[in-house]
Amino acid sequence: MAGARLRLLQRRPGAHGACVSARSIQGYRGYSTPATQAADPSPASDPKGEGAQGKKERPPGTYIIWAMEAIGATAAFIYYLHLYTDLLKPKVEERLNPDKYTPFTLVEREPLTGDTTRFRFRINRPRFNEELEQLADGIIAQGAWALDVKDHLVQTYRTYTPVDYVVATEVDDERGLREGYCDLVVKRYPGGSLSRFLHNTQVGDRVEMRGPILTWPYSPNKYRRLYMVAGGTGIAPMYQLIDRILGDPADLATQVSLLYGSQSEADIIYREQLDELAKRHPERLSIKYLVDRGPASAAQPGRPDARSVGEFVGGFDKSKDVVLVCGPDPMMAAVSGMRPIGPTQGPLRGCLRDLGLAPKNVFKF
């Protein structure tokens, strides 16, 4: 039987049509490995001593060490986020935004005169300046700036110039922010919607504001002298600029002259701060106060008109100087002409036109 089987295999074609010989079959058998031999290795072929399961026993405490390493790495990452980012801090609100109205909390109010009050609003900044702060700082750096203040009850707004804007240098680590403030000086008018709204606001209330808004571009040493004509709360943009110019170490050549009219000496707003600045910079800041009525120790009787303004700008240089005007409507009409609502200045009128000044020499806030 074996010989017959062998002959039958010799006649069966191979993979390529060739006959498979008995020698070839024997050769294949010689090189084959029994299945039992591969599945049952001898102890000599296991040099690592891993045993039948092929796994090595790990030293005691290995997983504890791994867990401690993972905890340490996580703690280090959290510390990094806390130290160098604000990702783990609550969202910072009450930030200046020139593109939309933001609610700000009134933290202080101080009566300055019988009808004028200083309102201090909280302004926050993240510990690390973000794109919003860079945008706001860029606008403020360009010159005089203001805020649009909205009465949310009737959806109207009015633009006010902050007299002060301060950002704290110390960081509140718990909240991840620097708390600052800005001050608005507002006179209450019987028919003024926004002024009445603000004067009815109490500490802790929130008021929607948008800004900063650039109102007058200014760069250090651009002018030889700034002639400022102000009345009442029109001192706000003037004081902002005076404080900015005299506090800028890069702006040492600019001089400022201020003609400031008020109803009485008691109604001179920010007089203490103005006198202190004039005392510290006598060679760069000169101030002349005018009052309509009552006794005055350092102010002169009168108001900004053709005579007083003519004397005030007597040394005006059209190529190097500029006149800034801000005040109540009657004063504006007499000195420079009214400024229309909107970005335009309107035609130059009043005593400044009569004195021969051109529109490019005058800016109306």
Side-chain angles (χ1 to χ4, degrees):
M1 292 293 294
R5 183 181 181 186
L6 180 60
R7 285 193 296 271
L8 178 62
L9 290 174
Q10 285 176 336
R11 293 192 181 96
R12 187 175 298 170
H16 302 283
C19 292
V20 181
S21 65
R23 183 178 180 181
S24 298
I25 295 175
Q26 292 175 356
Y28 295 150
R29 290 178 178 175
Y31 283 100
S32 65
T33 302
T36 55
Q37 182 178 356
D40 187 19
S42 63
S45 63
D46 189 12
K48 295 183 180 181
E50 295 183 356
Q53 296 182 354
K55 294 184 179 179
K56 181 180 179 181
E57 294 290 338
R58 303 194 181 279
T62 298
Y63 295 106
I64 297 178
I65 295 175
W66 286 359
M68 293 178 64
E69 290 176 348
I71 293 172
T74 303
F77 182 65
I78 293 175
Y79 179 74
Y80 171 85
L81 293 178
H82 171 79
L83 192 63
Y84 296 105
T85 75
D86 292 326
L87 295 177
L88 303 181
K89 301 295 188 298
K91 182 180 178 181
V92 179
E93 299 180 343
E94 299 182 308
R95 300 160 62 184
L96 290 177
N97 190 329
D99 297 324
K100 71 175 184 178
Y101 283 98
T102 303
F104 293 92
T105 303
L106 179 65
V107 295
E108 183 181 312
R109 51 179 294 165
E110 177 192 9
L112 301 179
T113 69
D115 57 9
T116 303
T117 302
R118 175 183 62 81
F119 297 90
R120 174 165 293 181
F121 291 93
R122 179 167 55 226
I123 304 292
N124 291 329
R125 294 173 70 101
R127 175 170 48 173
F128 303 104
N129 288 338
E130 299 178 2
E131 183 177 355
L132 198 59
E133 281 66 42
Q134 294 173 4
L135 177 60
D137 290 347
I139 294 173
I140 293 173
Q142 295 179 50
W145 59 282
L147 296 170
D148 286 339
V149 182
K150 184 172 73 172
D151 178 358
H152 66 278
L153 299 176
V154 295
Q155 297 299 311
T156 60
Y157 77 94
R158 182 181 177 87
T159 303
Y160 291 97
T161 300
V163 289
D164 280 318
Y165 171 56
V166 176
V167 177
T169 57
E170 297 182 358
V171 177
D172 185 333
D173 287 330
E174 183 177 348
R175 294 187 294 166
L177 57 80
R178 291 172 289 160
E179 186 173 303
Y181 64 85
C182 75
D183 291 343
L184 303 180
V185 173
V186 181
K187 179 178 180 178
R188 179 167 189 156
Y189 292 95
S193 173
L194 256 298
S195 67
R196 286 186 289 110
F197 165 74
L198 285 174
H199 277 263
N200 290 331
T201 302
Q202 303 302 316
V203 171
D205 292 345
R206 306 186 83 185
V207 176
E208 294 184 52
M209 296 188 286
R210 177 179 61 190
I213 301 164
L214 183 66
T215 55
W216 184 61
Y218 174 80
S219 57
N221 305 307
K222 182 178 180 179
Y223 300 100
R224 185 199 65 155
R225 182 180 293 274
L226 273 61
Y227 290 87
M228 299 179 172
V229 182
T233 54
I235 191 62
M238 310 305 184
Y239 181 82
Q240 184 192 103
L241 281 167
I242 292 171
D243 188 48
R244 175 199 190 108
I245 292 169
L246 298 181
D248 187 353
D251 195 357
L252 300 177
T254 307
Q255 297 181 326
V256 180
S257 296
L258 172 64
L259 181 66
Y260 184 19
S262 303
Q263 294 183 4
S264 68
E265 194 165 27
D267 293 316
I268 299 176
I269 302 170
Y270 266 46
R271 178 174 181 176
E272 182 178 347
Q273 293 89 334
L274 289 168
D275 289 345
E276 179 62 25
L277 288 172
K279 182 179 179 180
R280 295 206 311 259
H281 306 275
E283 72 289 349
R284 298 186 62 195
L285 174 61
S286 61
I287 302 175
K288 183 177 182 180
Y289 297 113
L290 298 176
V291 294
D292 290 346
R293 63 180 186 273
S297 59
Q300 298 180 12
R303 63 182 59 182
D305 54 19
R307 182 185 62 82
S308 60
V309 173
E311 294 175 356
F312 177 65
V313 298
F316 186 82
D317 187 329
K318 294 182 180 181
S319 63
K320 299 179 181 179
D321 303 335
V322 66
V323 179
L324 307 178
V325 188
C326 188
D329 291 351
M331 190 207 83
M332 296 292 293
V335 174
S336 62
M338 297 292 295
R339 175 176 176 171
I341 297 176
T344 63
Q345 286 281 295
L348 179 63
R349 296 192 174 100
C351 62
L352 290 178
R353 183 190 63 181
D354 299 339
L355 291 169
L357 274 68
K360 67 178 182 179
N361 303 132
V362 180
F363 183 82
K364 296 178 274 186
F365 284 100

